[in-house]
Amino acid sequence: MLIRPRRWQQIANTKTKRSTVISVLRWTLLRHATQSINQIDDEDTKKHVLHEEMSWLNQYWGQPIPKSDIRPKYWQRLFLAKSLQTRRDYYEYLSDEEARKERHQLVMEKRKEYIDTVSDPTREESLHRTTIHALLATKYNPKRWLDLYALARAARLGDFFVVDGGFEYAHARHSYFSALVHRVFRCFKHIHRFHSPAYIIISDLSDNFQTSRHPLPHEHSTYFHSTRDQYIDLFDKDRLVYLTPDSPNEMTHFDHDAVYIVGGIYDDENKEPLTYQKAVRQNIRHAKLPLDKFHSSSSKALAFHEVYNILLTLKHTNNNWIKAFRYVPKRKIATRVEEEAENKENDDEEDIE
């Protein structure tokens, strides 16, 4: 059905009515007009018809439409569109482009405001100066460089602590290596308490999903070293001691010549003795911390940083287990530890007297 040309202006000027009958009639006329829009010669009339269509769609169908003027090239595409769905897609695209430009303009205004604030000569302490000083304080922090020097010295002396990173298959995560690095960094929280720490090596990363397709992050090499090599190839088997809670051998003292290994397993739901099985399979020494004397009914598995701090405490205090187990969470320590510590303090006071 085609409408005579003399009625185009009448259709375009139809006002929006809240009445359902009027709105349906208006939409019917608009549908006929848009289907015959190629027969309209006046371009302004075409734009007026499409504006009316956009207004109706936005009011009754919630159609996103552009609020500003439409560029000529988009008008030509709308004139050539034969279906309503194609025009609706164009309306939504134009609305998204308009919103994107508004966000970009807002970002540029905020950036200009920030630049004006930073470059303000009347400001006593500019934001730029504060940011630079904070960066320099972080990068050239004397405490940080002392810790790095202590770790570098431990690496030169051959004092190593190995984290076995070959257990990604036991974790249902693609970010195993990133989570492992995050937990290793906890080992350096109390490193300033020890004058001779151990340098950490994350080994056995050759079969990891995350590291097999991406290079290892060398930016972490200042604090620790990550490698795809296996620890049995890096050290002599006689020096290796695998610390696993499932071992029947109980650790009695700290061996200064040994290289202690802990499994890179941080999933508490995994109860299988994977580290013990790997140590037996590789025919290397294995041991467990004497938590049976002090632990409560909770799990005997400890985190990396807890084992790391326990070993360093044993090393620096001549195998003082009471002080070493202060790094174990309180939920895993029975009252017997506190009683033994109090008895030892009382004995020391009697000796002094």
Side-chain angles (χ1 to χ4, degrees):
M1 174 182 177
L2 300 178
I3 302 179
R4 296 179 181 179
R6 65 174 180 271
R7 297 190 60 191
W8 292 123
Q9 192 67 29
Q10 180 181 359
I11 294 172
N13 293 330
T14 304
K15 303 298 181 181
T16 303
K17 303 293 183 182
R18 294 187 177 274
S19 172
T20 305
V21 177
I22 299 299
S23 64
V24 171
L25 178 62
R26 179 170 172 244
W27 175 243
T28 304
L29 295 176
L30 283 172
R31 289 289 293 147
H32 289 306
T34 52
Q35 291 174 359
S36 306
I37 199 169
N38 293 331
Q39 299 180 4
I40 305 176
D41 298 329
D42 188 11
E43 189 171 301
D44 293 337
T45 305
K46 292 182 179 181
K47 293 180 180 180
H48 206 150
V49 171
L50 294 180
H51 271 304
E52 289 292 327
E53 182 184 55
M54 284 188 285
S55 177
W56 197 95
L57 290 173
N58 178 258
Q59 181 178 357
Y60 293 100
W61 289 7
Q63 171 70 39
I65 60 173
K67 299 178 182 178
S68 59
D69 296 334
I70 302 176
R71 299 172 62 180
K73 66 175 183 178
Y74 294 122
W75 276 122
Q76 297 301 324
R77 295 179 184 178
L78 288 172
F79 294 157
L80 296 176
K82 296 182 180 180
S83 65
L84 173 63
Q85 186 60 41
T86 305
R87 289 194 299 273
R88 291 188 64 182
D89 293 340
Y90 273 128
Y91 297 153
E92 187 171 359
Y93 168 75
L94 294 175
S95 177
D96 294 342
E97 279 292 304
E98 190 177 50
R100 184 188 64 81
K101 291 179 180 179
E102 291 178 356
R103 291 194 300 268
H104 178 70
Q105 184 178 1
L106 181 62
V107 170
M108 295 304 294
E109 290 178 356
K110 290 184 177 180
R111 183 178 300 178
K112 184 177 181 300
E113 182 181 355
Y114 173 78
I115 293 175
D116 294 340
T117 306
V118 169
S119 58
D120 186 6
T122 60
R123 185 183 177 90
E124 295 180 359
E125 186 176 5
S126 64
L127 296 176
H128 179 71
R129 181 176 180 274
T130 305
T131 306
I132 291 296
H133 277 242
L135 178 62
L136 293 176
T138 303
K139 188 173 183 180
Y140 299 102
N141 186 3
K143 178 180 175 299
R144 176 176 179 268
W145 285 107
L146 289 175
D147 295 342
L148 292 177
Y149 176 75
L151 290 172
R153 182 177 56 193
R156 289 196 302 268
L157 296 176
D159 192 358
F160 296 105
F161 178 78
V162 178
V163 176
D164 185 2
F167 293 98
E168 185 178 9
Y169 63 89
H171 299 76
R173 299 180 179 90
H174 294 299
S175 59
Y176 169 74
F177 182 70
S178 302
L180 189 65
V181 168
H182 178 72
R183 284 163 173 79
V184 167
F185 264 111
R186 297 178 184 175
C187 298
F188 309 114
K189 181 179 180 181
H190 302 294
I191 196 174
H192 61 278
R193 300 180 181 179
F194 311 104
H195 61 81
S196 180
Y199 191 77
I200 297 179
I201 296 179
I202 305 178
S203 64
D204 292 47
L205 292 172
S206 57
D207 297 329
N208 290 135
F209 174 83
Q210 189 179 10
T211 58
S212 61
R213 292 166 174 79
H214 304 283
L216 296 179
H218 298 289
E219 63 270 15
H220 301 313
S221 60
T222 53
Y223 276 96
F224 63 89
H225 180 66
S226 53
T227 177
R228 295 185 174 93
D229 298 332
Q230 297 184 2
Y231 51 79
I232 57 176
D233 298 330
L234 297 174
F235 307 99
D236 296 334
K237 268 192 174 183
D238 298 336
R239 296 185 59 193
L240 297 177
V241 178
Y242 212 120
L243 295 179
T244 168
D246 301 299
S247 174
N249 305 325
E250 193 172 82
M251 181 178 173
T252 58
H253 65 280
F254 179 84
D255 188 357
H256 293 267
D257 296 329
V259 176
Y260 289 96
I261 309 168
V262 293
I265 300 177
Y266 53 83
D267 192 353
D268 296 335
E269 298 179 358
N270 195 333
K271 305 299 182 183
E272 299 181 11
L274 301 177
T275 55
Y276 174 65
Q277 294 173 357
K278 186 172 184 179
V280 173
R281 186 169 60 251
Q282 294 179 340
N283 194 21
I284 61 177
R285 289 186 295 167
H286 49 82
K288 65 178 180 180
L289 297 175
L291 287 174
D292 294 334
K293 297 180 180 179
F294 311 107
H295 84 293
S296 63
S297 59
S298 58
S299 175
K300 301 177 184 179
L302 300 178
F304 310 142
H305 64 283
E306 295 167 357
V307 178
Y308 182 77
N309 291 326
I310 288 173
L311 293 178
L312 290 184
T313 305
L314 293 174
K315 175 184 177 181
H316 289 78
T317 60
N318 194 18
N319 299 311
N320 189 330
W321 290 99
I322 301 299
K323 290 184 178 180
F325 278 111
R326 291 177 181 175
Y327 291 100
V328 181
K330 293 183 178 180
R331 66 181 184 275
K332 298 184 179 182
I333 296 295
T335 56
R336 184 175 176 182
V337 179
E338 299 177 359
E339 294 175 357
E340 291 189 6
E342 292 178 358
N343 294 334
K344 187 175 181 180
E345 291 178 359
N346 295 332
D347 295 339
D348 294 339
E349 292 178 358
E350 293 178 358
D351 293 340
I352 293 174
E353 293 177 355

